[in-house]
Amino acid sequence: MRKFEREQGQDSIPVIVIIGSSRDGIRDRVFAAEFQQYITKPILPDKVIASVAHLTGRAEINEKS
């Protein structure tokens, strides 16, 4: 997806990844893959809302969420 965006000269689309657990190094892997946020299961509405608000510039998010 990121390669396509670069080739087409398009802006990056914000992506939130949903993962099963927060293992060691997962944060680095998420950002290395050029995703902007991640949420761990169980998926709680407050986490989704906070992540979307952060990506749209409407709120700060705790990076440990």
Side-chain angles (χ1 to χ4, degrees):
M1 182 169 104
R2 299 302 182 207
K3 180 181 174 187
F4 177 78
E5 290 170 342
R6 284 190 291 273
E7 290 173 351
Q8 300 300 312
Q10 297 178 348
D11 291 335
S12 180
I13 298 170
V15 177
I16 301 171
V17 179
I18 299 171
I19 58 174
S21 66
S22 185
R23 300 176 304 217
D24 289 341
I26 194 69
R27 184 176 190 275
D28 294 335
R29 290 176 53 198
V30 166
F31 295 123
E34 301 183 43
F35 296 112
Q36 286 72 33
Q37 291 288 329
Y38 69 94
I39 300 172
T40 57
K41 292 180 181 177
I43 302 167
L44 302 174
D46 288 347
K47 285 185 180 181
V48 175
I49 292 167
S51 291
V52 171
H54 175 73
L55 290 177
T56 58
R58 296 181 181 209
E60 293 294 321
I61 186 170
N62 180 348
E63 291 185 6
K64 295 181 180 180
S65 295

